[in-house]
Amino acid sequence: MADVGQEEDFEAAQKKALAVGAKKFFLEDLKREFVTQLIYPALQANCIYENVYLLGTSLARPVIARGMMSVADREGCDYVSHGCTGKGNDQVRFELAFYGLKPDIKVIAPWRIPDFYHRFAGRQALLAYAAEKKIPVQQTAAKPWSTDENLFHISYEAGILEDPDITPPTDMWKLTTAPEDAPSTPERISIEFKAGLPVKVTVPEQQKSFTDAVEVFTTLNSLARKHGIGRIDIVENRFIGVKSRGCYESPAATILRVAHVDLEGLTLDRNVRALRDQFVTIELSRILYNGHWFTPEREFVTSAIPASQRTVNGLVRLKLYKGNVVVEGRSSDEGLYDERESSMDELGGFEPTDTSGFIQIESIRIKKWAQANIRKGQAGVAPEDVYGSRV
């Protein structure tokens, strides 16, 4: 069993495992590895899937798989198994990770064995079996959704959530306060970054600062949960081609992404940022979601992260209020921002006449395009635009 920061009674889990027939039980504390080796690179790259999902489930799978392979090696195992469904992403993520770590390992996937899935078509059949055999499970017939929890987030799928038009019940959400019930007084914090990583969180209300990687994350989790930050409800495209509805709570991750993206605006070169956004962000997000962490392309993509983050150093001041993360200020010594040069109240070394030549050069191709359209009777002032609709 991997401890990746989920709120779970591990002693009860061990007791249950041994009671249902396990010969041995292993608990591996993987929280620090999870934060430093998976969460932080994803934060530096601003990883996000389909513009909404912060990849909390995906991020934990490589760490869990590596922990499993470590135990398998110690125990001399030829086989490993998992309980992922045959329709989901996790079967792909786990098995590709297993093979990337131990190419000769053999995998048993019960939910892809016909005898199994014809007997247990879904969670309701499994719940009935668990009740018959007196096996304790968290899910119930009234709350049949599947959950996956770690330090980064919790996800909810299946059950009544499979109807995308059903509003998630209020008592489903586990980690965060409902925004409308969050404190009416905002709370202000600051986050210091070095090379794109959060190295210090200061909470004036507590008169405390936190610098340890795990403490930084747990502190931000606590604050975000209190202020109702990090809930999303989406329909996404699974890797295997099936659409699915998922609800997620990603408290600390939401705060960190807002702060990191904002600081990059102050400290990151325009072209570097554009290249990173167009390549590293998109590709690493896809790699994580599809379970391709232990691959040559992941090594290639992540090798670009340190160079892109070298100048992302500074402090971001934030206000947390009823589900919102509001940037109230940012500062840095990186020097890419020149207040005098940007000012509308002084020249600051900028010569406005230089812009005339800049505009002339930029306009060359646009003028040629406009002239060509005029010759064809399709100028921008024509009654119909190039798509045939009225303007």
Side-chain angles (χ1 to χ4, degrees), residues 70-344:
S70 176
V71 172
D73 279 341
R74 291 203 310 263
E75 294 296 302
C77 299
D78 296 316
Y79 294 82
V80 291
S81 185
H82 63 75
C84 306
T85 74
K87 289 184 179 180
N89 294 313
D90 277 338
Q91 58 181 339
V92 180
R93 293 168 182 155
F94 276 122
E95 292 184 41
L96 293 183
F98 296 157
Y99 297 134
L101 291 162
K102 191 175 173 63
D104 60 345
I105 196 69
K106 299 177 182 64
V107 179
I108 299 171
W111 228 325
R112 295 207 305 268
I113 298 172
D115 287 349
F116 184 92
Y117 62 70
H118 286 307
R119 170 67 177 83
F120 301 106
R123 297 184 190 282
Q124 293 297 340
L126 289 170
L127 285 170
Y129 181 83
E132 176 191 341
K133 301 297 182 181
K134 296 182 170 55
I135 301 172
V137 293
Q138 290 182 340
Q139 287 77 17
T140 65
K143 299 179 180 181
W145 45 77
S146 166
T147 63
D148 175 74
E149 183 182 357
N150 57 49
L151 186 66
F152 191 94
H153 91 150
I154 188 170
S155 65
Y156 309 88
E157 286 186 324
I160 61 171
L161 300 177
E162 290 177 349
D163 181 344
D165 199 32
I166 285 185
T167 302
T170 303
D171 63 350
M172 181 194 78
W173 304 102
K174 176 184 176 182
L175 299 184
T176 57
T177 302
E180 59 267 30
D181 297 328
S184 296
T185 303
E187 186 164 1
R188 289 172 168 83
I189 64 171
S190 65
I191 304 177
E192 182 180 344
F193 288 85
K194 286 187 179 178
L197 294 176
V199 295
K200 185 178 181 180
V201 171
T202 300
V203 187
E205 195 170 288
Q206 300 178 17
Q207 296 184 327
K208 288 182 180 180
S209 292
F210 304 88
T211 57
D212 175 77
V214 175
E215 275 195 337
V216 162
F217 215 85
T218 55
T219 298
L220 291 175
N221 262 339
S222 177
L223 291 166
R225 293 170 70 162
K226 171 183 172 183
H227 291 280
I229 292 165
R231 292 185 182 184
I232 63 168
D233 175 354
I234 62 171
V235 176
E236 67 195 68
N237 289 292
R238 290 178 182 162
F239 185 27
I240 64 169
V242 176
K243 284 187 180 291
S244 68
R245 193 265 190 97
C247 299
Y248 303 95
E249 295 175 276
S250 307
T254 300
I255 294 177
L256 283 170
R257 190 172 196 277
V258 169
H260 181 260
V261 168
D262 182 82
L263 184 61
E264 286 191 328
L266 183 67
T267 62
L268 195 54
D269 174 80
R270 178 183 69 177
N271 287 6
V272 171
R273 186 176 190 177
L275 285 169
R276 195 282 317 279
D277 289 350
Q278 294 163 21
F279 175 65
V280 177
T281 301
I282 293 172
E283 289 304 317
L284 188 57
S285 299
R286 184 181 295 121
I287 284 167
L288 282 163
Y289 191 84
N290 294 346
H292 291 164
W293 184 259
F294 298 104
T295 61
E297 64 268 28
R298 193 277 305 167
E299 289 187 352
F300 173 69
V301 171
T302 53
S303 70
I305 292 176
S308 75
Q309 297 297 290
R310 189 167 54 244
T311 63
V312 185
N313 306 303
L315 186 78
V316 182
R317 296 186 296 104
L318 303 160
K319 177 174 71 175
L320 313 179
Y321 182 66
K322 288 191 175 295
N324 296 291
V325 184
V326 181
V327 176
E328 294 197 316
R330 76 287 291 164
S331 58
S332 174
D333 295 328
E334 282 303 324
L336 292 183
Y337 178 82
D338 186 327
E339 187 174 347
R340 292 184 65 244
E341 187 178 62
S342 301
S343 175
M344 297 296 182

